[in-house]
């Protein structure tokens, strides 16, 4: 099925501050390489029949390339983001402006949340899976459920290397997810086992290769090229893996999913 995505080019990408364990301000960043890799991602998406919209990057906001964090959209309604760290807070207004100009129903948040970084939608049961522990305030889960009219399952993240839900869990098709058990609290692991007994269970190597930070259209899975173990697991379950090298953008703590906001309408 064709999907519609919003991405933002890494025109001003840099690691000028550190707000997650992956960011090292002493490591050099090749912005031109990041831009080429991002374009490869866009081309992979369009080559598989998907529509890509672009949000203009703004100077002074080096993390705007991680477009998934700017909002969460279900059934044509957009629940906006409210970033935890001041370095990223201005990004929210850019996303709001884009969505309002596009004519979508936009719900401004009052609680701290980082969009699809901490929200995932499972279409089959119509469930929202919501992470908390590092970036998103759990009070935003109820706010998102009210805004979007969907039940929300709260999941606690307990490993700061997997600071957003989308680094530890991904939706593969209408009913199937993949997740990294060790990234979640014991009670959250129990809920995931009960709700998704057929899940693809990842291991630490998959997580460290950003193998959970993927985007799936239900058939094709766009995956960080480094995540070969995850690629094998997904292939064994019948998915077609589309590897994309995003090694430069990984320096900021993100990969495929971080770069992609899905527009569901």
């Amino acid at each position: 099925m064709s999907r519609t995505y919003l991405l933002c080019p890494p025109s001003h990408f840099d690691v000028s501050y550190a707000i997650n364990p992956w960011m090292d301000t002493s490591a050099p960043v090749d912005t031109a390489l990041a831009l080429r890799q991002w374009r490869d991602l866009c081309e992979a998406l369009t080559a598989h029949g998907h529509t890509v919209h672009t949000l203009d990057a703004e100077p002074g906001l080096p993390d705007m390339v991680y477009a998934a964090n700017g909002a969460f959209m279900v059934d044509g309604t957009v629940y906006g983001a409210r970033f935890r760290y001041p370095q990223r807070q201005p990004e929210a207004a850019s996303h709001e402006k884009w969505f309002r100009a596009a004519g979508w129903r936009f719900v401004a948040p009052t609680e701290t949340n980082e969009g699809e970084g901490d929200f995932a939608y499972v279409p089959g049961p119509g469930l929202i899976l919501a992470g908390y522990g590092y970036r998103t305030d759990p009070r935003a889960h109820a706010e998102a459920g009210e805004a979007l009219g969907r039940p929300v399952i709260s999941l606690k993240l307990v490993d700061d290397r997997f600071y957003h839900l989308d680094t530890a869990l991904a939706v593969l098709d209408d009913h199937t997810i993949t997740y990294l058990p060790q990234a979640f609290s014991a009670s959250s692991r129990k809920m995931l086992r009960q709700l998704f007994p057929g899940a693809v269970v990842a291991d630490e190597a998959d997580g460290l290769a950003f193998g959970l930070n993927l985007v799936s259209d239900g058939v094709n899975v766009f995956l960080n090229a480094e995540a070969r173990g995850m690629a094998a697991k997904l292939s064994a379950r019948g998915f077609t893996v589309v590897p994309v090298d995003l090694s430069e953008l990984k320096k900021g703590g993100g990969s495929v999913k971080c770069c992609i906001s899905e527009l569901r309408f």
Side-chain angles (χ1 to χ4, degrees), residues 7-259:
L7 289 87
C8 179
S11 306
H12 308 288
F13 178 65
D14 194 8
V15 180
S16 55
Y17 49 79
I19 58 173
N20 68 59
W22 301 92
M23 302 177 88
D24 179 358
T25 57
S26 67
V29 171
D30 187 337
T31 303
L33 175 58
L35 190 54
R36 289 197 297 272
Q37 292 179 344
W38 178 84
R39 287 172 177 155
D40 288 343
L41 173 61
C42 292
E43 290 173 4
L45 295 170
T46 56
H48 286 80
H50 304 305
T51 300
V52 171
H53 295 284
T54 303
L55 174 68
D56 291 337
E58 297 185 19
L61 297 176
D63 281 347
M64 273 192 76
V65 64
Y66 305 123
N69 303 152
F72 178 54
M73 182 177 186
V74 178
D75 295 333
T77 296
V78 184
Y79 175 57
R82 187 174 184 180
F83 288 85
R84 175 184 174 186
Y85 288 101
Q87 293 94 330
R88 298 199 65 185
Q89 287 170 357
E91 295 177 38
S94 299
H95 284 265
E96 179 175 356
K97 181 180 178 181
W98 189 92
F99 280 107
R100 289 191 184 279
W104 306 116
R105 176 175 177 262
F106 188 92
V107 179
T110 61
E111 304 294 347
T112 299
N113 82 89
E114 299 200 350
E116 283 199 324
D118 275 324
F119 291 108
Y121 183 60
V122 190
L127 277 179
I128 295 171
L129 304 180
Y132 71 99
Y134 297 102
R135 296 294 185 88
T136 294
D137 190 308
R139 290 175 294 187
H141 297 180
E143 188 173 66
E146 183 66 24
L148 301 170
R150 298 288 184 174
V152 180
I153 303 296
S154 294
L155 302 167
K156 185 176 182 180
L157 297 163
V158 295
D159 186 330
D160 68 352
R161 296 173 299 175
F162 310 109
Y163 59 95
H164 272 152
L165 183 70
D166 68 5
T167 64
L169 179 150
V171 178
L172 296 171
D173 61 25
D174 285 356
H175 299 277
T176 311
I177 69 165
T178 181
Y179 70 99
L180 176 62
Q182 72 185 64
F184 296 93
S185 68
S187 59
S188 294
R189 291 196 300 271
K190 183 177 179 181
M191 280 192 285
L192 288 169
R193 286 195 301 269
Q194 292 173 338
L195 288 169
F196 303 100
V200 177
V201 178
D203 57 34
E204 184 175 39
D206 299 324
L208 295 178
F210 274 58
L212 284 298
N213 196 244
L214 60 83
V215 166
S216 175
D217 61 17
V219 176
N220 304 290
V221 179
F222 302 88
L223 180 71
N224 183 29
E226 179 188 340
R228 289 179 286 276
M230 176 57 74
K233 291 179 178 70
L234 295 171
S235 295
R237 292 289 291 268
F239 294 97
T240 299
V241 175
V242 183
V244 183
D245 181 6
L246 290 183
S247 55
E248 204 62 20
L249 291 173
K250 187 183 175 186
K251 293 178 179 178
S255 189
V256 174
K257 176 56 196 170
C258 286
C259 293

